[in-house]
Amino acid sequence: MRKNKFHYYSKNKKLLRSFTFLLSFSLLCILFSVYSQVSMFEAKRERNEKIYGAWNAAVFDISSKDEAFLRGNEMISSVGEMNVVGSVVNDPSQSPVGYVDNSFFQLSKLSLKKGRLPEKEHEIAIEAYKLDQMGIDYSLNQAIVLEIQNHDEILEKEFVLTGIVENYSTSWLHTENLIPFFVSESCGLERESKNVFVCSIEGYSDIFSDMTLPDKDLVLNNQVEFSYDAFSKQNLPYTLLAIFTMLYTILFMTYLLYNWTNQRGKELQMLKSLGCDERMLMMDFIKLIAKCICVPIFLYIFCAVVLHISWKTSLISLLVYVSSMSLIFIICKIQLDAIPENANSFSNQKNIHRKPIKVAYKKQTPISLHVRSFRFHWKRELLQLCLPIVLLVFLYQSLSFQMNNRTQLEILRKQSDIFLSAQIQSKQKDDFVYSTFEPIEPKVVSEILSNQSIASYRTNYVTQDYYMTWDGFEDSDIWKRKESQLDPILNMDWNGMKQVFPQIECSKDEAYIQFLQDNITEGTFDLDAFQKGEVVYIYLPKYTVEILEEESDLFGNISADENTFYDDYMTFLETTIHVGDKLVFHNESGEGKTGRVGGIIRNYIEPQEYIFNLPYQVFVSSSFFGKEDLVRNIYLYLKEDIQTEPIESYLSSIASKHHLQFIDKINKKNTQIDSNKNDLAFYVVLSIAISLLFLFTQSLFLKQKQEEKENQNRIFEQLGIDTKGLYRAQIIEEILKIFILLVVSFMIFLLIQYIFYLQNASQMYSFKTRVFKDSWSWIYYFVINVLFIITYLRLNITKNKH
């Protein structure tokens, strides 16, 4: 027999088709996973770069020494300059004015709504929101007069508007040093300072984390992910998909090969006895795999070209996949070693026999027959257990991501589209400087809320300008411990003394009154006394604080959620305040306001955008302050499917006119909602695909076992063995398998979740809280398991009953 003409595996068309289909399906799944990772990474990076810029780090008001250091660093690929020549005096915010170079414009990813950047001395381009604030329309070539303070001199200069820059400075870090007024380098003004933005060469963005400059600190652009990481929080689900796809493929191919070898065991024994050694069989098996993998590789390359996946990413993923297939050769070698030679052959080689299983000659019961059958086929049974385990882990993981995306969507939808607030004002008493808030004028509130594009709104007034005392407050836990983690509540007063500064909130919204009526646990809600300012209500849940481990941390977390109670010693409960007690609120002038406690809220309240969740929060009416219609914060929810630019410009101009803080969250909110919707759709489709793959796999197992079961039952009936007992034994066997499947799958799922948790571990938010609070549903978990059990029993028991 010529070895180079030997064919056994490679000539079998059925095995060739099965392996080709399996390898193609697996490789395309991996391609989809790689494509999803790369596409989402690039889309997210492009979106974030458009919002936050493509620079890695920046230095504001840089010295010549620091600039020389950066320009001499070989790891930095480009340096962009922003030169500040002064500030605009007749702008409400007195924003800087200056010019930039081409490198900055490329790193910033700035775009123009209209026109172009200035090129001549009297040309200017202005950021869109500045035009809105100044009440200037978007007409190009109009004359704009600006008063510019350059050093100690104020100059009045007239410019021609040549371009309108898309909004960028409100979303960047260090916004006070970014220029919204762009002039040309030949504007005739002397430079006051320079801001430098740098970008590293590809793959070396981490160098800025450890870089220190002689004079200034680096400002890192942490909002953008610059380097691709397959195991980052964003890409890890797709990486796990690829890993589990390879694992499932290897297990499934092993199962097919195992059954193939068992069915043709006598043929292989005969081939060995005729002189066919294991090397010849292995070489033939390698030929089979080489034939099977040609189609998948062609499809992979074709799809990679069509989907424009980079050749490096495609090659790396392909090499990882092909190298993982080497496990199949090892498994094939092990199976061939286990096959003995035919004992009745005329081979000169030493005969090898299977080691017999010792069985006592006694009466065989259906249970013992099943146990003996399992001992003969334990490898096949183990593989049949492993394959559903992989699929169940997929389903659990998909469920977890679905629940997390649904939770995030609910949170995003509850967030407002536009937020307006009174600006912080600084006041001074003696040598002590403190911040306070003045309410927004009622006519301004009415002007804002009258816009027809607003679907709904929330308003409230929140202040922390009063410290609070009560009878026996020196005996309370908060006063005794005075932990640094309680800084949001315990603060220094105007005389340098530590005092309890609660959040005091009032609102005229109906939802505010309903909130108090629904949540008071001690006392009753008296609407008349509340509206007159005679009674107040206070939030006093049981809460905990986080122990800070590093001195560099400024503030710890405060939480009233019982899931975060990690240490009983660090748990607080205010017991010195009771219904009917008087609370005294002191301001900086020494005047005191007294409020009687009408009720206490003890239960934990989920934090919302317009409701704080700090203990000792006090709820009052406007009459408590001796004023009506107090509003500090306005949360606006816009109608769907409207053009947002007019309302943005309208509200921005009002905010600028009345010196209000204006935060536009429309684009960021919509982008996050779309991203979560896409992720949710992906995981739903993945769950359906896994379910179909499970049905296909179990149907194949059933088909392979059907003939064997029929032959066994026929022989047992001829021997007079009760097949009903065998059927009951089979039910017990499958129930044990199901128990093992569910337990092992859930443990593997928890292990994966724990790996996720370790990326951002917290002593307050434990593993249990992180996994099951927002990312899990026991109802869905129960439904998945019930459907799985029914399908499994249906495919493995019902059709085998004879």
Side-chain angles (χ1 to χ4, degrees), residues 62-73:
I62 192 171
S63 64
S64 57
K65 186 176 181 180
D66 288 343
E67 184 178 2
F69 176 82
L70 290 176
R71 291 188 181 277
N73 194 313

Side-chain angles (χ1 to χ4, degrees), residues 614-748:
L614 284 175
Y616 296 91
Q617 184 175 356
V618 179
F619 301 96
V620 302
S621 65
S622 298
S623 301
F624 177 80
F625 297 100
K627 300 179 181 179
E628 296 294 334
D629 298 331
L630 283 175
V631 174
R632 172 190 159 190
N633 303 316
I634 303 176
Y635 307 86
L636 301 178
Y637 304 83
L638 304 183
K639 295 179 179 179
E640 296 182 358
D641 302 325
I642 64 167
Q643 188 177 359
T644 59
E645 186 173 343
I647 183 67
E648 290 173 304
S649 300
Y650 172 73
L651 295 175
S652 175
S653 60
I654 292 178
S656 175
K657 181 179 178 181
H658 298 283
H659 306 289
L660 303 179
Q661 182 184 9
F662 175 78
I663 299 178
D664 185 355
K665 300 182 287 185
I666 297 175
N667 292 333
K668 188 174 182 180
K669 176 183 174 181
N670 291 338
T671 300
Q672 291 176 338
I673 288 177
D674 292 340
S675 177
N676 277 274
K677 284 182 176 178
N678 293 335
D679 289 346
L680 180 60
F682 167 76
Y683 292 120
V684 170
V685 172
L686 181 62
S687 299
I688 296 173
I690 293 170
S691 302
L692 294 176
L693 187 59
F694 169 74
L695 290 174
F696 166 76
T697 305
Q698 294 300 314
S699 299
L700 181 62
F701 292 164
L702 174 64
K703 184 178 179 181
Q704 292 177 348
K705 293 168 63 176
Q706 188 71 28
E707 184 178 351
E708 179 184 346
K709 289 291 183 183
E710 290 176 355
N711 293 332
Q712 285 182 356
N713 290 338
R714 191 180 303 113
I715 295 172
F716 290 150
E717 287 177 355
Q718 292 174 356
L719 295 174
I721 298 175
D722 184 13
T723 55
K724 292 183 179 179
L726 291 171
Y727 180 67
R728 289 193 294 269
Q730 183 188 358
I731 293 177
I732 296 174
E733 176 189 348
E734 298 302 334
I735 291 175
L736 289 174
K737 287 181 181 178
I738 289 174
F739 176 77
I740 295 172
L741 281 172
L742 298 180
V743 172
V744 174
S745 300
F746 192 68
M747 295 301 293
I748 295 176

Side-chain angles (χ1 to χ4, degrees), residues 424-615:
I424 300 175
Q425 298 183 6
S426 297
K427 291 186 177 182
Q428 185 171 353
K429 180 183 178 183
D430 298 330
D431 295 332
F432 185 78
V433 179
Y434 62 97
S435 299
T436 186
F437 298 90
E438 294 296 330
I440 305 174
E441 296 180 8
K443 63 178 182 179
V444 178
V445 176
S446 300
E447 184 182 1
I448 292 172
L449 301 181
S450 63
N451 193 284
Q452 298 300 315
S453 298
I454 298 173
S456 61
Y457 64 87
R458 300 275 186 181
T459 62
N460 68 351
Y461 179 80
V462 178
T463 182
Q464 208 169 359
D465 294 344
Y466 297 83
Y467 71 83
M468 181 176 68
T469 59
W470 62 94
D471 291 340
F473 77 97
E474 294 182 352
D475 296 326
S476 64
D477 280 344
I478 190 172
W479 189 258
K480 287 179 178 179
R481 300 194 183 188
K482 295 188 178 183
E483 300 287 347
S484 60
Q485 292 86 350
L486 297 173
D487 279 347
I489 304 173
L490 282 172
N491 246 315
M492 304 297 292
D493 70 353
W494 308 274
N495 299 315
M497 302 294 292
K498 201 80 169 180
Q499 302 289 355
V500 178
F501 280 82
Q503 295 277 5
I504 304 176
E505 178 181 359
C506 70
S507 175
K508 62 179 182 179
D509 296 341
E510 294 181 1
Y512 178 71
I513 302 298
Q514 190 64 44
F515 163 78
L516 294 176
Q517 291 176 342
D518 295 341
N519 290 280
I520 292 174
T521 53
E522 298 179 15
T524 57
F525 183 73
D526 188 341
L527 181 60
D528 292 336
F530 178 72
Q531 289 180 339
K532 292 177 181 178
E534 297 174 357
V535 300
V536 301
Y537 296 91
I538 188 168
Y539 179 48
L540 296 175
K542 192 174 183 179
Y543 63 97
T544 188
V545 296
E546 185 175 14
I547 299 175
L548 300 178
E549 297 181 355
E550 298 182 8
E551 295 181 358
S552 58
D553 294 334
L554 296 178
F555 300 105
N557 291 320
I558 302 176
S559 175
D561 186 356
E562 291 186 359
N563 291 320
T564 63
F565 293 174
Y566 65 97
D567 186 352
D568 291 338
Y569 177 75
M570 297 303 297
T571 302
F572 297 78
L573 179 63
E574 181 56 64
T575 58
T576 61
I577 298 178
H578 309 88
V579 176
D581 289 353
K582 290 183 178 180
L583 304 178
V584 183
F585 302 89
H586 309 267
N587 60 13
E588 75 281 4
S589 301
E591 300 174 355
K593 294 179 181 290
T594 302
R596 178 171 55 86
V597 178
I600 299 175
I601 300 175
R602 294 288 188 185
N603 296 332
Y604 168 67
I605 300 171
E606 287 285 347
Q608 300 180 18
E609 185 180 24
Y610 51 86
I611 295 178
F612 291 92
N613 194 7
L614 284 175

